[in-house]
Amino acid sequence: MGSLRLENIKKSFGQVEVLKGIDLDVKEGEFIVFVGPSGCGKSTLLRIVAGLEDATSGEVLIDGAKVNTVPPAKRGIAMVFQTYALYPHLTVRNNMGLGLKQAGAPAPEIAKRIATASTMLSLDPYLERRPAELSGGQRQRVAIGRAVVREPKLFLFDEPLSNLDAALRVNTRLEIAQLHRRLSATMIYVTHDQVEAMTLADRIVVLNNGHVEQIGAPMQLYNAPANEFVAGFIGSPKMNFIDGGRLGESVKTIGVRPEHLSVDAAKGDWKGTVIHVEHLGADTNLYIDTEKAGLLTARIFGEYRAEPGSTVHATPEPAKTYRFDEEGRRIE
Amino acid sequence: MSQARSSLPRTIAAHAILIAYTIIALFPVILIVMNSFKSRQAIFRSPLMPPTAETFDLVGYRTVMVQGDFFLYFQNSLIVTVVSLFLVLLFGAMAAFALAEYRFRGNTLTGLYLALGIMIPIRLGTVAILQLMVASGLVNTRTALILVYTAQGLPLAIFILSEFTRQISDDLKNAGRIDGLSEYRIFFRLVLPLLRPAMATVAVFTMIPIWNDLWFPLILAPAEPTKTITLGVQIFLGQFVTNWNAVLSALSLAIVPVLVLYLIFSRQLIRGITSGAVK
Ligand SMILES: Nc1ncnc2c1ncn2[C@@H]1O[C@H](COP(=O)(O)OP(=O)(O)O)[C@@H](O)[C@H]1O
Ligand SMILES: [Mg+2]
């Protein structure tokens, strides 16, 4: 229960083609994250899966059955939205129970499922409150609870953490990860934040401009990005891209991750000047303007003492540099 | 009061302007109410004086109660106004929801067509409306007035409400769809409550011209059983003699229902006007 298959999904709004042919296979119980810059069509794709939007062409199959013409409520899905989207006039209990009530489930069954979900999400003290009387984090937990109560084949999350502050975001992220483990349900999660994608996903789908750039496990995308876009999108700080010609190489672009650059005051491959230093505690980010390779970011573990204006040498780890051709594809 | 944000001269100036405006706006109303309690001679001799022990006279109100079927007129006005208001708000909100929510061919064109009535006064079509009412046998019925006022109120209602409907979160409506609510339930249970402040604004703008209208009652429903209050008062306004006591009393009474409806809507109204100013 809970597999999803997308076949050549295309979507246009008027003249603008927003999705340009998306193919995807999601296995039962998988946690899939759609990640990509904002405006690339992630939400649109998720809404097509949910049935809130019709695809211009292509097929959506849930558990092997074509659902193109099935309304959202009958697809066996549940969705959590960025803006929580709780019903303002209903209590937390009724918010969670409405979907089942509409589907005609018997009252004791509804009560039982609400009780299970509210215990799971520690919502018991708030069941009789209205959404206006809850904090942002509590509201999002209610929204997640509302999805859990439906016991869907497919959970859909559209940037559920974007409206929360940083600390809550980490907590709620953990809660979603635990939820996935406990329910072993299929989940599709949309975010523009690559940290969320890396921490939650079994597999990540990197979207850009309406098409899939790469699908793979988080470490697969990190270690073996298919192209320049994925290499730049996954990892923080962003990968350094150096023009191949400047280094006397035949390839178009060379990529080095900031964490794969070592810095030494005395000797190294690329001599340069420190422009700015960011101390993050656990590590230090150095921005270096090098003569040979241009502006680079280096991430050094632990504390590194350097003054802006001082001279340093950056050296890439040879086995960890990436080469890209004219079209941005990585050369093995 | 905090010192940083206000100075005494400016506060005084602001209050002076506001008080002056209030006096100008309320003066005619107060004059009408005041004089309605005075005898005929007192009205003419000292129109600006409040009623005293000797000039106090309820003759106007007595005339109104006795002459003409004042309560019937009153009832007609109230029925016509409330029913028209209800229909304008209901259909206005529904049309606004459809225009804002659904993408269909001719959406923008339909929206423009529905808003056209804001610029073209409905009275231009009086002759055609009258012929229509005669043909359908609706002359001298309250239905005729209700239909005309509903048509008259809809353009502005749709225009204002569709702007507000667009601001309602898509996520909320989509959550309802996933929970299996019908489009009607989504409209009535999720969207309508959030439109309340906007609807109060529309209600006030719609209600007052309907209540005060003389034109359509005179043309479409001048018969005794369907007269509205504004038309009913006209019997006291003669070509040669005018029963001022009665006119003023009737007008004073006519203010009451509008005032009551306004008070009901006003809390919402203020929110409607200021919404969007602060996020
Ligand atoms: N209802 C709509 N009408 C027209 N264009 C839309 C509509 N919804 C989304 N778009 C456009 O589709 C593109 C993708 O939107 P979306 O899927 O929301 O992006 P994301 O969620 O990745 O930020 C955007 O350029 C957006 O402007
Ligand atoms: Mg989005």
Side-chain angles (χ1 to χ4, degrees), chain A residues 4 22 52 71 78 124 126 130 156 198 201 216 225 245 257-258 284 294 297 301 324:
Chain A
L4 169 73
I22 307 274
L52 296 167
D124 287 331
Y126 313 114
R130 278 170 207 274
L156 307 176
M198 293 294 280
R257 293 198 184 277
T284 309
T297 312
F301 295 97
F324 302 96

Side-chain angles (χ1 to χ4, degrees), chain A residues 13 52-53 73 79 81 83 85-87 89 98-99 102 146 150, chain B residues 103 169 171-172 174-181 185 189-190 194:
Chain A
F13 290 111
L52 296 167
E53 194 88 68
M79 192 156 170
F81 299 89
T83 56
L86 299 176
Y87 308 122
H89 62 294
L98 185 67
Q102 284 300 116
R146 181 170 66 181
R150 293 174 59 93
Chain B
R103 286 192 295 274
S169 124
D171 287 356
L172 186 64
N174 284 339
R177 290 191 182 113
I178 286 178
D179 274 343
L181 301 184
R185 285 274 308 264
R189 303 302 302 276
L190 300 181
L194 296 175

Side-chain angles (χ1 to χ4, degrees), chain A residues 10 23 27 40 70 111 140 152 188 217 225 232 267-268 270 284 319 324:
Chain A
K10 291 187 180 165
D23 291 291
K27 290 191 289 289
C40 71
V70 179
Q140 197 54 293
I188 297 182
K267 59 178 198 315
W270 300 327
T284 309
F324 302 96

Side-chain angles (χ1 to χ4, degrees), chain A residues 13 18 37-45 47 53 159, chain B residues 103:
Chain A
F13 290 111
V18 173
S38 71
C40 71
K42 308 176 298 281
S43 299
T44 306
L45 184 57
R47 286 207 302 272
E53 194 88 68
E159 309 217 8
Chain B
R103 286 192 295 274

Side-chain angles (χ1 to χ4, degrees), chain B residues 69-77 79-80 139-143 145 217 221-229 231:
Chain B
D69 214 339
F70 190 79
F71 280 104
L72 180 69
Y73 304 159
F74 211 86
Q75 197 189 338
N76 286 338
S77 267
I79 291 174
V80 167
V139 174
N140 282 328
T141 61
R142 287 183 295 241
T143 316
L145 292 178
E224 193 61 21
T226 52
K227 264 187 189 165
T228 60
I229 186 140
L231 185 55

Side-chain angles (χ1 to χ4, degrees), chain B residues 177-192:
Chain B
R177 290 191 182 113
I178 286 178
D179 274 343
L181 301 184
S182 67
E183 292 296 311
Y184 283 98
R185 285 274 308 264
I186 290 175
F187 173 72
F188 283 110
R189 303 302 302 276
L190 300 181
V191 173
L192 221 47

